[in-house]
Amino acid sequence: VIKCRAAVAWAPGKPLSVEDVEVAPPKAGEVRIKIVATGICHSDDHVLKGSLPNVEFPVIPGHEGAGIVESIGEGVTSVKPGDKVIPLCLPHCGECNFCRNPDSNFCQKSHISEPQNLLPDKTSRLTCKRKQIHHFLWVSTFAEYTVVPEYAVAKIDAAAPLDKVCLFGCGFSTGYGAAINTAKVKPGSTCAVFGLGGVGLSAVMGCKAARAARIIAVDINKDKSAKAKELGATDCINPRDFKKPIQEVITEMTGQGVDYSFEAIGHADTMIAALASCNMNTGVSVMIGVTDSEISFDPTLLLTGRTWKGTLFGGWRSRECIPKLVSSYLEKKFNLDLLITHTLPFAKVNEGFELLRAGK
């Protein structure tokens, strides 16, 4: 058993508490990982607020990490101690109907099908003050050590800087893949990206990599514009600068709406605005943001031919694709480093959430 620090969410609506925890050794088919770096994603904030469904408290959140294999359980063959890895919040068991379908990147072992609050044998490897602590999406990267099933681990290049590539665990992969895999953005096309946090900026990078001719970046925080332009946005607009709905502004800017739109916020109204801002016949709108509300919308938005899609983890088949993406980063095919705004010591994890909520 390893004793280490972790940020525990004891109950919804409370800040994280940095505690001494005990992490049990991996059982058969499991991997224990020393987490070296972790990003903070808005979904973790949904956990703290208690608005992400099927999460049980107390829990160690975090799902955007990178680390080094410390030990392996019986039967594990794909990684060994010392390997650099990214734990995967979307597993790839390789056996379910989804995993066996080459067009699918979902896995029936993911949280949307069955909660990942305990490991597959329905027990936890995490304890604090003699209490069982729940895992989050099996990965719980807000801990110095964590235990995950082998099929939720991707081995990556030994040269990868873990403090950068942790973003492949969720934010970058999700936004970049939404453009590349889910929308399949074509060269010369027009795109609009709603929300310029880490995921939205990654979607901008995906549109640029797909050689879109025009990328309109949309955010109410004008401080995001410079970075969006550095990453490939051609236009930056703030909905607060206009008296009319932003979808009308985008339609006027482009003549008939964009070819592709992306919503990386998770608000019902911006999801509908993103849908309405794309071409009414051939436009494709991709929802990336996690929302905790239901949506009512005018079905004629779809009746004319638009396509409305969702994406999970950017459409990547996690265990196969994440190592390749990390290699592309090492070959300098895109600059992930620009997404990182602050680097904090682990004890200041709550300050990280304050920066997130402040749009910084």
Side-chain angles (χ1 to χ4, degrees), residues 37-308:
T38 181
I40 295 178
C41 172
H42 225 111
S43 303
D44 299 311
D45 199 34
H46 289 311
V47 172
L48 299 188
K49 289 177 183 157
S51 63
L52 205 68
N54 301 325
V55 174
E56 291 182 33
F57 290 80
V59 62
I60 296 173
H63 62 284
E64 197 176 79
I68 297 165
V69 174
E70 178 273 334
S71 58
I72 57 175
E74 188 188 336
V76 171
T77 56
S78 62
V79 294
K80 63 185 186 304
D83 284 347
K84 286 188 179 179
V85 292
I86 290 178
L88 304 167
C89 57
L90 184 65
H92 188 93
C93 74
E95 293 170 2
C96 69
N97 286 338
F98 285 105
C99 284
R100 290 206 307 267
N101 175 355
D103 297 329
S104 158
N105 82 309
F106 190 66
C107 174
Q108 274 168 306
K109 298 224 173 359
S110 82
H111 191 77
I112 291 168
S113 290
E114 48 181 80
Q116 293 170 291
N117 301 315
L118 297 169
L119 291 187
D121 71 349
K122 303 301 178 217
T123 62
S124 171
R125 303 290 164 272
L126 309 168
T127 47
C128 180
K129 299 176 180 170
R130 297 187 181 158
K131 281 192 177 145
Q132 171 182 280
I133 306 295
H134 292 94
H135 295 251
F136 175 56
L137 304 180
W138 286 342
V139 293
S140 291
T141 61
F142 292 175
E144 291 176 321
Y145 287 84
T146 190
V147 177
V148 301
E150 182 181 13
Y151 49 74
V153 179
K155 179 183 171 180
I156 58 168
D157 193 306
L162 297 175
D163 59 336
K164 307 288 193 293
V165 300
C166 59
L167 297 187
F168 286 102
C170 176
F172 175 79
S173 306
T174 299
Y176 190 78
I180 300 286
N181 299 325
T182 311
K184 296 184 168 61
V185 170
K186 291 178 182 166
S189 60
T190 54
C191 302
V193 178
F194 287 69
L196 301 175
V199 175
L201 289 170
S202 300
V204 168
M205 291 166 80
C207 294
K208 185 185 181 190
R211 303 204 309 279
R214 193 171 186 190
I215 304 166
I216 301 167
V218 185
D219 202 300
I220 55 173
N221 181 349
K222 62 182 184 301
D223 297 341
K224 305 272 190 177
S225 298
K227 190 160 278 190
K229 287 202 162 159
E230 196 176 352
L231 291 169
T234 55
D235 307 75
C236 292
I237 57 175
N238 183 339
R240 292 183 174 164
D241 292 343
F242 302 93
K243 290 198 166 64
K244 59 178 74 167
I246 199 67
Q247 55 264 44
E248 290 179 23
V249 175
I250 291 171
T251 303
E252 284 174 15
M253 286 171 73
T254 55
Q256 69 287 323
V258 290
D259 299 306
Y260 307 96
S261 66
F262 303 88
E263 201 275 1
I265 305 163
H267 290 170
D269 54 349
T270 43
M271 285 180 176
I272 292 165
L275 178 66
S277 70
C278 69
N279 177 310
M280 68 192 296
N281 181 229
T282 57
V284 175
S285 186
V286 180
M287 54 171 85
I288 319 174
V290 175
T291 181
D292 51 13
S293 62
E294 293 193 349
I295 297 179
S296 57
F297 73 104
D298 176 358
T300 54
L301 283 169
L302 295 178
L303 191 68
T304 54
R306 285 183 181 93
T307 305
W308 206 4

